[in-house]
Amino acid sequence: MAFIITSPCKTEKAGECVEVCPVDCIEEGKDMFYIDPDICIDCGACEAVCPVEAIYMEDEVPEEENEYITLNRKFFEDR
């Protein structure tokens, strides 16, 4: 299970998460960042530094943000 970046990233897109990721699993998309679930080691470093609290463990994503689980998967499938 990986971390998921949700809607607050779309308005912030700060990038601290990219800087702290030890395995470089966070990629920049057009509107926001995405976490590659095949590379993520679930360390939580990204979650701790996100200034807008946009990052959640997949099973803890708020219900109103569930679409971002699908968007994250699609981002990496479409490459």
Side-chain angles (χ1 to χ4, degrees):
M1 183 172 315
F3 281 85
I4 302 291
I5 300 176
T6 60
S7 66
C9 184
K10 292 181 97 169
T11 57
E12 181 68 27
K13 202 176 178 183
E16 285 94 333
C17 56
V18 177
E19 296 170 19
V20 300
C21 181
V23 294
D24 297 323
C25 71
I26 302 173
E27 295 189 25
E28 186 172 0
K30 180 182 172 199
D31 298 326
M32 59 184 284
F33 290 99
Y34 297 90
I35 298 174
D36 188 331
D38 293 330
I39 300 172
C40 180
I41 60 171
D42 301 331
C43 70
C46 58
E47 182 182 32
V49 299
C50 182
V52 292
E53 299 179 0
I55 303 174
Y56 297 88
M57 283 295 293
E58 185 175 345
D59 64 350
E60 295 176 3
V61 172
E63 189 173 328
E64 65 273 10
E65 299 284 332
N66 275 346
E67 69 183 284
Y68 287 90
I69 297 171
T70 303
L71 289 172
N72 189 78
R73 285 188 188 126
K74 186 163 177 50
F75 179 82
F76 292 100
E77 288 172 0
D78 290 347
R79 298 180 325 145

